Amino acid sequence: MKRILVLFLGLAATAQVSSRDQLYSALLDAKVLNPDRELVHLSHTCNLHIDGGEYPVVDLQEVVKSDTSPRGVNRIIVLDPQLKPVQKIEYESHRPLFCVENRLYVYGDLTIDGLLPEGNVLTFSKQGHVVKLSHIEAHAYPVPITRDRKSPPQ
């Protein structure tokens, strides 16, 4: 009985967290990755919790192949629970940091599709299809400072 319970708990834990290989395959299948660029960074930043589902947030950086100086293309990709893309947000240097519920916090203010307002907090709704930007000061981020942490960020 103990073996079955341990096996079940192990399967349940792995089913909730997508591996980098699974994310990479999902991005390839959805044609999110550009075949004419070099993928130099892919990380699973965190999971958003939207409308009862877990939505992985992926941070991508691709380099445009060129004889002149290389140019990077950075994107935040939000995937639905079936690992299908629901949001693709380009950014210059505003990396995604962490998630709290349905909010993604980024380093610095960004715009989406060049539209104002700018913000460093992206709040997602309607299965990830709607994004609202807002701004908070870095000292107000909802995370404890390192010396007060009991575990690393998500």
Side-chain angles (χ1 to χ4, degrees):
M1 180 67 166
K2 287 182 182 180
R3 283 186 187 173
I4 294 172
L5 180 59
V6 171
L7 177 62
F8 174 74
L9 291 174
L11 290 174
T14 53
Q16 293 178 358
V17 179
S18 300
S19 73
R20 285 173 38 99
D21 290 338
Q22 288 173 308
L23 295 172
Y24 179 74
S25 293
L27 295 170
L28 277 176
D29 292 345
K31 298 186 181 355
V32 170
L33 301 175
N34 187 318
D36 296 324
R37 298 179 187 158
E38 294 177 3
L39 178 64
V40 295
H41 175 80
L42 182 152
S43 66
H44 177 198
T45 303
C46 55
N47 288 327
L48 292 161
H49 298 277
I50 308 168
D51 302 324
E54 283 197 14
Y55 291 68
V57 176
V58 178
D59 183 24
L60 290 179
Q61 183 176 33
E62 296 174 297
V63 174
V64 178
K65 298 176 185 179
S66 170
D67 291 336
T68 60
S69 60
R71 188 172 51 88
V73 177
N74 303 315
R75 291 182 289 162
I76 298 167
I77 310 296
V78 178
L79 303 169
D80 68 13
Q82 291 75 40
L83 302 182
K84 304 290 184 214
V86 293
Q87 284 291 335
K88 301 172 194 167
I89 302 166
E90 284 197 22
Y91 70 91
E92 290 184 26
S93 61
H94 312 305
R95 293 211 99 92
L97 298 174
F98 60 92
C99 297
V100 174
E101 298 169 357
N102 66 333
R103 296 180 308 278
L104 173 63
Y105 293 79
V106 298
Y107 181 79
D109 288 332
L110 56 77
T111 59
I112 296 177
D113 298 329
L115 302 174
L116 293 177
E118 292 183 335
N120 60 352
V121 181
L122 289 74
T123 303
F124 294 82
S125 60
K126 300 195 189 240
Q127 289 82 41
H129 294 283
V130 176
V131 184
K132 179 182 166 193
L133 277 169
S134 59
H135 175 84
I136 66 169
E137 296 299 324
H139 70 273
Y141 280 172
V143 293
I145 59 174
T146 302
R147 78 170 149 259
D148 295 338
R149 275 191 185 280
K150 304 227 182 323
S151 63
Q154 175 190 359

